[in-house]
Amino acid sequence: MRLVLAVVGQRMPGWVDTAYEDFAKRFPPEMRLELKAVKAEPRSGGRTAEQMMAAEAQRLDAAIPKGARRVVLDERGSRLTTLQLAERMQAWRQDGRDVAFLVGGPDGLDPALKAGADETLRLSDLTLPHAFVRVLLAEGLYRAWSVSTGHPYHRE
C-alpha cells in the first residue's frame, strides 16, 4: 500500500523537505510514503478563488493513483488520536487500496474534491502553515504505523 501526500505547492523551505524525507524514509517497502506536490495556481490575473481551486483540484486528481482512497485534510474533518489513526491504517491495509491525502492551496480545496472524498480528517484545531502540514502528517502517519507494528506508544 502506498500513502500519497498530494499537496498544492511545490516550493518549501529546505527544513520542510529535510523533515519530510526523514519520516518518509522510515516507512517499510510494503507501506511507502510518497509526496506528490502540484503547482499552485497563480494568485494574479483576476481569477476567482473558485476558479483557482478548480484548477488545483484537476492537478491533485491527476497526481494520485487511480482507485485510491481519498482522504481530505480539512479543519472540519474528524479528529483522531494516534491510536485511532493506527486502527484506521490497519483498516485501510485490509481494503487493499492506496491512500491519498489531499491538501489544498491558499484558498483550500475545491468543494467537488471534498465532496468526492472517502474521509475527511483534521490534523489540529490550530491553523497550520502548509509547510507544517507535510511534516506533521508524515510524522503522524509514521507514528501510527509504528504503533500498529507493536512499537510501544510513549504513554501506553
Side-chain angles (χ1 to χ4, degrees), residues 6-71:
V7 301
V8 174
Q10 295 174 311
R11 294 188 187 139
M12 290 289 130
W15 65 266
V16 173
D17 296 331
T18 299
Y20 170 82
E21 287 300 325
D22 183 56
F23 288 109
K25 72 182 178 188
R26 297 179 190 191
F27 281 84
E30 66 272 10
M31 185 179 281
R32 293 187 324 259
L33 179 64
E34 298 177 9
L35 178 66
K36 301 285 184 174
V38 302
K39 185 181 98 170
E41 194 67 14
R43 294 318 195 242
S44 59
R47 297 180 63 199
T48 66
E50 290 76 18
Q51 291 169 323
M52 291 183 283
M53 288 187 296
E56 292 166 351
Q58 288 179 343
R59 291 184 190 111
L60 287 170
D61 192 49
I64 63 174
K66 298 295 181 225
R69 172 178 295 280
R70 294 168 176 244
V71 180

Side-chain angles (χ1 to χ4, degrees), residues 12 15-16 123 127-139:
M12 290 289 130
W15 65 266
V16 173
L123 283 180
T127 301
L128 301 171
H130 285 186
F132 285 172
V133 170
R134 293 178 191 198
V135 176
L136 288 175
L137 184 55
E139 191 280 338

